[in-house]
C-alpha cells in the first residue's frame, strides 16, 4: 500500500490510503493514471459491478444485433441504397463499433471489479469510446441537415449525391479522429473512471490544458451538434406544418374533405414529425447530458463525484448506440418491410408494409422522388 502514498497526494489522501479504497484492486502499473480524488472512496459494493456488467452486456447484445441488422438490410436492399441512407448506415456502423469495442472489456472488468488490461488498453478504450461517440453525434447532425435541406428548402435545395454523402462521412470521421487523438498527444489524457472498470477523459485535473480540452471539446461535440439538430427540426416542423395547411386549404377549394387517404387523416404528418423530433432531441439529451454534467462537475469542482456516479454517466452515453437504430432504422417503412422479409422473428409487424408515411426518414422518400424526377 505504500505505493499509494505519493508525495503529491493531499493530506486526506495520505490519511485514508492505509485503508482499503476503490483503487485497492488497480494493478500497480495503472496507479499513475488514477487521480488522488478516488482514494477517498471505499470499494464499491460488488453488487453494483454485477448490475453494471449485466446492463452493459444486455446493451451490447441489443446494440450489436440492432445495428448489425440496419447495416445488413440497408446495404443489401436495392431500394434502400440511397445517398441519404448512407448516413444512416454510417450511424449504425459507428454505434455497432461503439458497443463491439466497449461492452466486452467492461463486462470482463466488472467481473474482476477493476481495470485489468493495462495502461495502453485504457487509453485505447477511452479514445475509441470518444471516437465512435463523436462520429455518431455528428452523423445524427448530418442526417438532420439532410432532412432540413430536402424538406425546408424543397426544390431549391441541392439533393445529396453518393459522392456528397461519402464526403460528409469522411469529414465526420476525420473530425472525430482529430479530437480523440488529441489526449494521446498531451491535450488532456485518458484515465480510469471512478468505478475503475472503464476509461475516459481526465475531468479531475485542474491544469489549464486539461480543462480547456473538456470545454472546447464539449462545445464542438455537444453544444454545436445539439443546437444544430434543434434548429433543423424546428424549421422542418414549421415547413411541414405550412405544407399541411396549404393542403387543407386546397382540399377546401376542391370541395373535398382531404387530399389524403382516410388512414393518413388519423395522424397528421406534422404531429408525426413533431413526435420524431421530440424523441430524437430527448434521447440525445438523456444520453449525453449526464456525462457532460460529470465532466463539468469535475473541472469546476462544483460537487463531489462518487465512483457510482461515473457508472451511470458512462452507461447512459453508451445506451445511445442502442436506440439509434430504432429511431433511424425501424421507423423507416421500407426498412421494416425488408426486416420482415429477411428476419421475420425480429420484426414487430404481422406483415410487410410500406405506408410511405415515415417522417423519421422523410428525406429519403423525397430524395428518391427528386432523383427520379
Amino acid at each position: 500500500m505504500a505505493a499509494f502514498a505519493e508525495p503529491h497526494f493531499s493530506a486526506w489522501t495520505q490519511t485514508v490510503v492505509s485503508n482499503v479504497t476503490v483503487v485497492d484492486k488497480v494493478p500497480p502499473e495503472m496507479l499513475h493514471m488514477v487521480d488522488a480524488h478516488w482514494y477517498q472512496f471505499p470499494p464499491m459494493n460488488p453488487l453494483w459491478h454485477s448490475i453494471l456488467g449485466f446492463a452493459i452486456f444486455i446493451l451490447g447484445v441489443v446494440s450489436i444485433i440492432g445495428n448489425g441488422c440496419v447495416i445488413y438490410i440497408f446495404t443489401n436492399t436495392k431500394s434502400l441504397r440511397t445517398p441519404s441512407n448512407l448516413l444512416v448506415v454510417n450511424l449504425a456502423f459507428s454505434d455497432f463499433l461503439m458497443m463491439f469495442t466497449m461492452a466486452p472489456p467492461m463486462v470482463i472488468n466488472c467481473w474482476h471489479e477493476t481495470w485489468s488490461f493495462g495502461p495502453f488498453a485504457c487509453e485505447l478504450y477511452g479514445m475509441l469510446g470518444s471516437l465512435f461517440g463523436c462520429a455518431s453525434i455528428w452523423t445524427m447532425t448530418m442526417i438532420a441537415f439532410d432532412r432540413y435541406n430536402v424538406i425546408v428548402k424543397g426544390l431549391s435545395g441541392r439533393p445529396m449525391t453518393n459522392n456528397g454523402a461519402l464526403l460528409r462521412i469522411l469529414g465526420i470521421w476525420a473530425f472525430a479522429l482529430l479530437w480523440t487523438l488529441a489526449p494521446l498527444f498531451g491535450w488532456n489524457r485518458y484515465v480510469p473512471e471512478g468505478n475503475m472498470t472503464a476509461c475516459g477523459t481526465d475531468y479531475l485535473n485542474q491544469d489549464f490544458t486539461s480543462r480547456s480540452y473538456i470545454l472546447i471539446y464539449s462545445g464542438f461535440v455537444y453544444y454545436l451538434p445539439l443546437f444544430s439538430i434543434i434548429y433543423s427540426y424546428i424549421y422542418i416542423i414549421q415547413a411541414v406544418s405550412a405544407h399541411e395547411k396549404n393542403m387543407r386549404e386546397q382540399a377546401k377549394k376542391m370541395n373535398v374533405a382531404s387530399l389524403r387517404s382516410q388512414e393518413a387523416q388519423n395522424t397528421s404528418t406534422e404531429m408525426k414529425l413533431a413526435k420524431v423530433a421530440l424523441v430524437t432531441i430527448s434521447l440525445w439529451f438523456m444520453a449525453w447530458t449526464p456525462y457532460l454534467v460529470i465532466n463539468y462537475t469535475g473541472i469546476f469542482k462544483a460537487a463531489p463525484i462518487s465512483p457510482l456516479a461515473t457508472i451511470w454517466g458512462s452507461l447512459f452515453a453508451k445506451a445511445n448506440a442502442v436506440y439509434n437504430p430504432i429511431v433511424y432504422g425501424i421507423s423507416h417503412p421500407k426498412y421494416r418491410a425488408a426486416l420482415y422479409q429477411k428476419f421475420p422473428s425480429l420484426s414487430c409487424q404481422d406483415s410487410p408494409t410500406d405506408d410511405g408515411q415515415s417522417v423519421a426518414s422523410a428525406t429519403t422518400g423525397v430524395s428518391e422522388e427528386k432523383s427520379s424526377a
Side-chain angles (χ1 to χ4, degrees):
M1 302 295 291
F4 290 168
E6 297 290 343
H8 65 277
F9 288 173
S10 60
W12 56 261
T13 303
Q14 297 178 19
T15 301
V16 301
V17 81
S18 59
N19 301 320
V20 178
T21 69
V22 71
V23 192
D24 187 54
K25 291 186 177 183
V26 175
E29 66 271 17
M30 295 285 295
L31 293 179
H32 71 282
M33 304 175 70
V34 179
D35 192 274
H37 172 81
W38 303 120
Y39 283 80
Q40 63 180 305
F41 296 99
M44 285 177 51
N45 190 319
L47 178 61
W48 282 117
H49 286 291
S50 300
I51 293 174
L52 175 62
F54 178 74
I56 199 66
F57 174 77
I58 296 299
L59 290 177
V61 171
V62 174
S63 176
I64 290 172
I65 294 176
N67 287 292
C69 284
V70 171
I71 296 170
Y72 176 78
I73 290 176
F74 271 79
T75 54
N76 288 275
T77 304
K78 186 176 180 180
S79 61
L80 292 174
R81 292 200 293 265
T82 64
S84 295
N85 282 342
L86 285 176
L87 293 174
V88 177
V89 172
N90 187 63
L91 177 64
F93 179 70
S94 177
D95 288 339
F96 178 91
L97 291 179
M98 163 79 83
M99 296 308 290
F100 186 78
T101 57
M102 299 288 103
M106 186 175 286
V107 170
I108 295 172
N109 289 327
C110 287
W111 175 264
H112 293 287
E113 299 180 10
T114 189
W115 183 265
S116 54
F117 296 105
F120 176 74
C122 178
E123 292 181 323
L124 184 62
Y125 184 95
M127 189 202 76
L128 291 178
S130 182
L131 173 67
F132 298 136
C134 181
S136 295
I137 287 171
W138 273 102
T139 302
M140 293 169 65
T141 307
M142 289 300 167
I143 291 173
F145 284 160
D146 179 47
R147 294 174 180 171
Y148 173 88
N149 179 60
V150 174
I151 297 176
V152 177
K153 292 186 177 181
L155 295 176
S156 64
R158 184 177 180 181
M160 185 186 299
T161 62
N162 284 328
N163 288 338
L166 292 174
L167 194 60
R168 286 170 173 80
I169 291 171
L170 180 62
I172 288 170
W173 286 103
F175 182 79
L177 192 62
L178 178 67
W179 280 106
T180 54
L181 284 177
L184 298 180
F185 293 92
W187 194 14
N188 202 281
R189 62 174 184 159
Y190 294 114
V191 296
E193 298 277 6
N195 52 69
M196 301 298 153
T197 57
C199 295
T201 52
D202 186 359
Y203 47 79
L204 292 174
N205 194 320
Q206 296 300 297
D207 291 346
F208 173 77
T209 302
S210 294
R211 297 177 72 179
S212 64
Y213 176 82
I214 298 294
L215 292 172
I216 298 175
Y217 181 76
S218 64
F220 282 96
V221 185
Y222 180 86
Y223 293 111
L224 182 58
L226 175 61
F227 292 143
S228 297
I229 290 177
I230 293 175
Y231 172 88
S232 298
Y233 276 110
I234 287 176
Y235 279 92
I236 288 172
I237 293 173
Q238 289 179 351
V240 174
S241 180
H243 176 69
E244 292 294 306
K245 183 180 179 180
N246 291 335
M247 290 191 65
R248 287 191 294 268
E249 292 177 352
Q250 185 67 24
K252 188 181 296 183
K253 291 178 181 178
M254 297 173 62
N255 200 25
V256 295
S258 174
L259 296 179
R260 295 185 178 278
S261 64
Q262 183 62 40
E263 181 181 1
Q265 291 180 43
N266 294 333
T267 305
S268 63
T269 303
E270 65 262 36
M271 287 304 298
K272 288 183 180 180
L273 185 59
K275 290 178 182 178
V276 171
L278 181 62
V279 168
T280 302
I281 297 171
S282 298
L283 291 177
W284 168 292
F285 189 82
M286 288 189 297
W288 296 104
T289 301
Y291 198 68
L292 179 78
V293 170
I294 291 174
N295 276 257
Y296 274 24
T297 302
I299 63 175
F300 292 118
K301 296 294 182 182
I305 303 176
S306 68
L308 188 59
T310 66
I311 287 180
W312 302 114
S314 177
L315 196 64
F316 270 77
K318 290 178 175 61
N320 192 57
V322 176
Y323 46 71
N324 273 344
I326 298 175
V327 174
Y328 292 97
I330 295 178
S331 61
H332 195 303
K334 291 184 179 180
Y335 173 81
R336 293 200 305 270
L339 180 65
Y340 181 86
Q341 292 177 358
K342 298 180 184 297
F343 306 104
S345 59
L346 298 178
S347 180
C348 299
Q349 58 185 0
D350 296 329
S351 61
T353 179
D354 185 359
D355 53 21
Q357 295 297 321
S358 171
V359 277
S361 55
T363 49
T364 302
V366 179
S367 295
E368 289 170 354
E369 292 176 8
K370 292 173 70 176
S371 298
S372 60

